[in-house]
Amino acid sequence: MAAYFLAQLKRAARIFPGQILVDLAVCVCVGALAFALIAQGADAAAGTRYRIGMVGDLEDSYLGFGIAAVQEMDDSRFMIELVPMSEQEAETAFLRGELYAVVRVPEDLLESIVYGENDRPITYTATQGQKGLGTMVMGEITNIASTLVTCSQSAIYAMQRTLADQGRGEEIGRETDKLNLALINLVLSRGAFGEVEVLGYGDGLSLELYYFCGMILLFLLFSGLLNSALFVHGNGAFSCFLKARGVGAVWQIFGEYLAYLLLVITGLLVLCLPLGFGLARELLGIPEWEGMGAAPFLSFLPILIPVTVMLAALQFFLFEAADGIVNGILLQLLSGIGMGYLSGCFYPSAFFPEKMRAFGEMLPSGAAVRFMQAGALGRIPAELWAAVFGWTAVFFILTILVRQSRIGRS
Amino acid sequence: MGIINGLEAWHGGSRADGKVGVVNVMGFTARQEQGGCCSGRREGNGNLRYSGLGHGNGGMSMDVEIRGIKKAYFRKKVLTDISFSMEAGSCAAILGSNGSGKSTLLSILAGVRKADGGSFFYRGTDLFRCPGQIPKALGYVPQGDPLMEELNAWDNLRMWYDRETLKRELSEGALKLLGIDDFLKTPVRRMSGGMKKRLSIGCAVVSHPGILLLDEPSAALDPVCKENICMYLDAYRKEGGIVLMATHDAQDLELCDACYILRNGTLHSWEYGGDFHKLAEAL
């Protein structure tokens, strides 16, 4: 078995230089693409604001002040742009898709509020396609505003009635202003009501670290394609010959798998060189590792070994199960794309429906990416270890069964 | 027609006195004697003898007794009660149409597949009951070449031979006789079919087996390559080795003492008689 393993190592060594060149070329292409996409996404995110058209009676100075306050003072100015315009302009822009929504302010709105009539509702118009989170939030905000207005009206009227009953009519104006200011302060300082904690993606990872893990997973998923040369020329005669010489399917698989694993690990280390360099130079901008150079990445590297062992076993099984090298490559490609997508390498899996996300997490790639994410945060639960080793064992057993069947058939 | 006659036919003949001659067909010098014997070395008593052919049992009686081998795939019976015996130094061919079960029979004997029943006695030991003995007792050359394409001949042989043994075999043993030394550094992917087949045989005889099983050894080979392999096999059996091959090739049949036709899962003894057209009729 040792001699067979050494022979497989020699094969891998013959293939290795070419594979390293392919690995590097793929890394450069993927890296450049990722950099361009991230930069483009960041620019787009920085420049994207929801444009909401304001139409109707905007002449009132209080309303004008309110709009100006939201636009200039409130944090929401980074997300929402309120654009006063005419009905005609708003309709045209809305139909062209240039506006996210249109808010129509009825005439004498503030008078209605001031006198407690509240019979002039504001109309918020959005398309059916935007019946999402933004619309829901807007509905909630409207409810809150409405409650604030009616409650403050009740407070002010109650105060004015009380002062009048007590014969302190001269204080009503001053106290009303004080109460209004108190209410405005209450609204503007609403950020102190609660603390919003942004956990990010995948159990608290920043988007950058999430995608960093995803990219490594994608590389590992596609390393089967990069190293497919090792599976070319594999023939049934050789397996039969080995069996006749006393090297059974189990030892055949182990000998071949170990050589393949070394090839994948070496390819991974080649990929890690530019990544480590980028992290050391703070080029990759991963918030969790900021200012720490390549040290956290170096401690992250050993975490990749169990994942690599599992995914190499998966690829080995796929090549063994496929009939011929072309089918094997196609199978690798399809499974890589499918599992990469379901496990959140292309889009964060948090965006997926619940069942789809659960299915993605059950897949080997899901276990791998969760293992890496947990490792990046420094805590890998026992069930993830069990999942990774369980899948590895399953792939080994399946591969051995396929090989035995192949020997029996050839 | 003996094997040497065949050699002469391809190489124009070089035997001067009709008794002993020298031919060089595989990169090594082989002597030939009356009756078609090939040898690498002349012994003191004047007899010609191959050195280091592999099985190392020159002159020793090695009998093979195969009884009642059966094999079925699901409901389809491929082999039904296959029984025959072979003596040391004999060569037998198993003939049959495609899919008749020749390769299945050889792979069962080689321990690659399990028979549903039967026994395979070699020198009194049932190899089916002692499968660990099979790699030592026999060499098996499947129809495809069991070689690593990226590696050269040396590296392929090193899988099976330790360094010292390999050097010895290349200088004076079976591997020299097979002429492997000539293409030792050639990657398998650049080898001709004949080179690959010789290298495959070289890998198979590592344990100096008493039995050599060959699955269509001459398939897709040119006449010179076929002759090279026949020369080796002839020498091998003259050393007391037992050769059992599945073949369709007339040149291979000339080497054989016995021929069997495998038809409908049963083995029938058949007399070749040099007429290849009879074979097509028999199949």
Side-chain angles (χ1 to χ4, degrees), chain A residues 308-331:
Chain A
T308 309
V309 167
M310 179 187 71
L311 292 176
L314 163 69
Q315 287 148 8
F316 203 80
F317 165 65
L318 292 176
F319 269 116
E320 188 68 24
D323 194 11
I325 188 70
V326 175
N327 288 342
I329 288 173
L330 282 174
L331 197 59

Side-chain angles (χ1 to χ4, degrees), chain A residues 3-4 7-8 10-11 14-15 229 232-233 235 237-238 240-247 407-410, chain B residues 73 110-113 134-135 138-140 142 144-151 155 159-160 203-204 206-207:
Chain A
Y4 183 53
Q8 287 291 348
K10 282 181 190 170
R11 281 187 73 206
R14 299 272 197 285
I15 292 165
V232 177
H233 304 306
N235 61 46
F238 195 69
C240 291
F241 184 75
L242 286 167
K243 178 85 165 83
R245 299 253 27 103
V247 183
I407 290 171
R409 279 186 281 119
S410 57
Chain B
Y73 291 118
V112 176
R113 294 182 221 199
I134 290 178
L138 61 84
Y140 171 57
D145 296 307
L147 305 168
M148 286 192 179
E149 296 273 332
E150 297 82 3
L151 305 185
D155 289 331
M159 255 191 291
W160 311 110
C203 292
V206 59
S207 58

Side-chain angles (χ1 to χ4, degrees), chain A residues 195-218:
Chain A
E195 190 178 349
V196 178
E197 190 178 345
V198 179
L199 280 176
Y201 302 87
D203 292 335
L205 266 71
S206 67
L207 186 64
E208 288 82 358
L209 188 52
Y210 180 91
Y211 274 125
F212 184 78
C213 293
M215 280 178 65
I216 291 178
L217 176 68
L218 267 185

Side-chain angles (χ1 to χ4, degrees), chain A residues 158-357:
Chain A
M159 181 202 70
Q160 288 173 347
R161 176 73 60 85
T162 306
L163 287 176
D165 289 348
Q166 291 177 354
R168 297 160 61 189
E170 73 280 2
E171 295 176 39
I172 288 175
R174 191 176 69 246
E175 293 301 325
T176 301
D177 289 344
K178 279 168 69 178
L179 192 55
N180 271 324
L181 283 172
L183 288 165
I184 288 169
N185 277 335
L186 202 66
V187 172
L188 290 179
S189 63
R190 66 188 186 280
F193 284 169
E195 190 178 349
V196 178
E197 190 178 345
V198 179
L199 280 176
Y201 302 87
D203 292 335
L205 266 71
S206 67
L207 186 64
E208 288 82 358
L209 188 52
Y210 180 91
Y211 274 125
F212 184 78
C213 293
M215 280 178 65
I216 291 178
L217 176 68
L218 267 185
F219 175 82
L220 289 173
L221 281 172
F222 290 125
S223 59
L225 292 175
L226 302 176
N227 299 316
S228 57
L230 199 65
F231 298 94
V232 177
H233 304 306
N235 61 46
F238 195 69
S239 300
C240 291
F241 184 75
L242 286 167
K243 178 85 165 83
R245 299 253 27 103
V247 183
V250 175
W251 295 115
Q252 287 180 29
I253 295 297
F254 267 103
E256 292 163 28
Y257 170 78
L258 285 176
Y260 175 68
L261 179 65
L262 282 178
L263 199 62
V264 176
I265 287 177
T266 316
L268 183 66
L269 289 177
V270 170
L271 168 74
C272 288
L273 286 176
L275 287 178
F277 178 80
L279 285 163
R281 301 268 171 165
E282 304 288 339
L283 296 175
L284 298 183
I286 293 176
E288 286 89 337
W289 296 346
E290 211 161 288
M292 298 163 77
F297 178 62
L298 291 176
S299 59
F300 177 66
L301 279 180
I303 292 160
L304 297 177
I305 300 297
V307 172
T308 309
V309 167
M310 179 187 71
L311 292 176
L314 163 69
Q315 287 148 8
F316 203 80
F317 165 65
L318 292 176
F319 269 116
E320 188 68 24
D323 194 11
I325 188 70
V326 175
N327 288 342
I329 288 173
L330 282 174
L331 197 59
Q332 294 279 341
L333 187 66
L334 291 175
S335 66
I337 291 172
M339 287 202 285
Y341 180 80
L342 286 169
S343 302
C345 290
F346 302 113
Y347 297 104
S349 57
F351 292 164
F352 295 158
E354 186 69 26
K355 284 182 182 173
M356 195 170 160
R357 193 166 67 226

